[in-house]
Amino acid sequence: MTVSDVVGATASKYDIGEQMCPHRLVLEHVTSRWGVLVLIELLDRPYRFSELRRAIGRVSEKMLTQTLQTLERDGLVHRDAKPVIPPRVDYSLTDLGREAAEQVRGLALWTEERMGEVQKAREVYDARKGGSDQG
Amino acid sequence: MTVSDVVGATASKYDIGEQMCPHRLVLEHVTSRWGVLVLIELLDRPYRFSELRRAIGRVSEKMLTQTLQTLERDGLVHRDAKPVIPPRVDYSLTDLGREAAEQVRGLALWTEERMGEVQKAREVYDARKGGSDQG
């Protein structure tokens, strides 16, 4: 399998710096700092905005709003504004969003499980580089 | 499952803007623009630097070097410098790197397969936003 098969890339048309590949943008949205956390959190259940903000931690209101809008526009998150007073807005995953969230959770879990091995590799790499600087 | 379970996040310690969570960094490396393409390409076979650069497309020598160094330091890519003249350097996936690459390829394939649905969702979203701006 080539990169072209997977992300529609060819050397001639795939200038990712100037003209973003559309798949690439979706990948960036779902693996963005807050995108990952929103998707994983919503795998459990729908959340209201303020609940979600508390669940995720120190995300600013502005960043969380932007992240949710991006994911809503991509069809991954459903925004349900209830016509009540005071206003109530619930966020949940669409079927498409659930698929994305499960993949992203898999990758996030993998990075957590393998973090020890990554750390060891870094120590070996840094020691070798340090050694070769001196030698 | 909470975000804390998955990425080691808690509201008190998880200030992703100021102090990056180590798992988060690995996730960023493997989902980075060039990281994704390098990992997917190396799933097929080992590559020499110049071959890899051609296979990926318009990546600069500097960016590809940085991407490979980052992945090597994380223990995902093995760099094999052969003591021959002219110098020959082969890059391949480690076992750990293969695991990461397979996950990343799954996610990249998903974004490609589902791109049509994402595009449709965007059109609906944009039409609705356009409509509500006018109404």
Side-chain angles (χ1 to χ4, degrees):
Chain A
M1 177 174 303
T2 70
V3 167
S4 310
D5 296 333
V6 175
V7 287
T10 71
S12 61
K13 73 174 185 194
Y14 192 57
D15 188 347
I16 211 160
E18 282 165 35
Q19 208 168 1
M20 296 286 280
C21 168
H23 320 136
R24 176 69 225 168
L25 272 179
V26 179
L27 191 62
E28 287 188 2
H29 296 165
V30 301
T31 61
S32 72
R33 218 159 272 184
W34 304 117
V36 169
L37 303 182
V38 165
L39 290 172
I40 291 171
E41 207 62 59
L42 291 181
L43 268 176
D44 269 349
R45 62 172 176 88
Y47 274 83
R48 300 176 66 166
F49 184 88
S50 53
E51 273 185 321
L52 189 55
R53 197 173 160 207
R54 272 196 301 276
I56 286 177
R58 296 198 212 168
V59 59
S60 72
E61 201 169 306
K62 187 181 163 192
M63 280 310 300
L64 184 56
T65 300
Q66 280 178 4
T67 302
L68 285 166
Q69 277 173 353
T70 301
L71 296 175
E72 188 194 354
R73 183 168 181 266
D74 286 345
L76 306 177
V77 161
H78 176 64
R79 180 178 186 275
D80 183 19
K82 296 214 164 46
V84 293
I85 296 171
R88 168 169 183 157
V89 184
D90 286 318
Y91 293 91
S92 56
L93 292 176
T94 62
D95 290 345
L96 197 61
R98 184 160 293 275
E99 285 179 18
E102 275 161 6
Q103 299 253 9
V104 165
R105 179 170 61 182
L107 191 56
L109 280 170
W110 181 87
T111 62
E112 190 182 39
E113 278 165 19
R114 293 293 190 256
M115 200 55 224
E117 289 173 65
V118 169
Q119 291 285 24
K120 257 186 250 166
R122 287 180 183 168
E123 282 162 26
V124 171
Y125 181 95
D126 292 345
R128 208 176 58 218
K129 289 289 163 185
S132 69
D133 285 350
Q134 287 158 24
Chain B
M1 180 177 299
T2 70
V3 168
S4 311
D5 295 334
V6 176
V7 286
T10 70
S12 60
K13 73 176 183 192
Y14 193 56
D15 187 348
I16 212 160
E18 284 165 31
Q19 207 166 4
M20 297 286 280
C21 167
H23 318 137
R24 174 70 226 171
L25 272 180
V26 179
L27 191 62
E28 286 188 2
H29 295 166
V30 301
T31 62
S32 72
R33 220 161 271 186
W34 305 116
V36 168
L37 302 182
V38 164
L39 291 172
I40 290 172
E41 208 60 61
L42 292 180
L43 268 175
D44 269 348
R45 61 172 179 89
Y47 274 82
R48 298 176 66 165
F49 184 88
S50 54
E51 274 185 318
L52 190 56
R53 197 176 159 203
R54 273 194 302 276
I56 286 178
R58 298 199 209 165
V59 61
S60 71
E61 202 170 307
K62 188 181 163 192
M63 279 311 298
L64 184 56
T65 300
Q66 280 179 3
T67 302
L68 286 165
Q69 278 174 352
T70 301
L71 295 174
E72 189 194 353
R73 183 168 180 265
D74 285 345
L76 306 178
V77 162
H78 175 64
R79 182 179 186 274
D80 182 20
K82 296 209 164 48
V84 293
I85 297 171
R88 169 170 184 156
V89 184
D90 286 319
Y91 293 90
S92 57
L93 292 176
T94 63
D95 290 345
L96 196 61
R98 184 159 293 274
E99 286 179 15
E102 276 162 6
Q103 299 253 8
V104 165
R105 179 169 63 181
L107 192 56
L109 281 171
W110 181 88
T111 63
E112 190 182 38
E113 280 165 18
R114 292 294 190 252
M115 201 54 222
E117 290 173 64
V118 169
Q119 291 286 23
K120 259 186 249 165
R122 285 180 184 169
E123 283 161 25
V124 170
Y125 181 94
D126 292 345
R128 210 175 59 220
K129 288 289 164 185
S132 69
D133 285 350
Q134 287 156 24

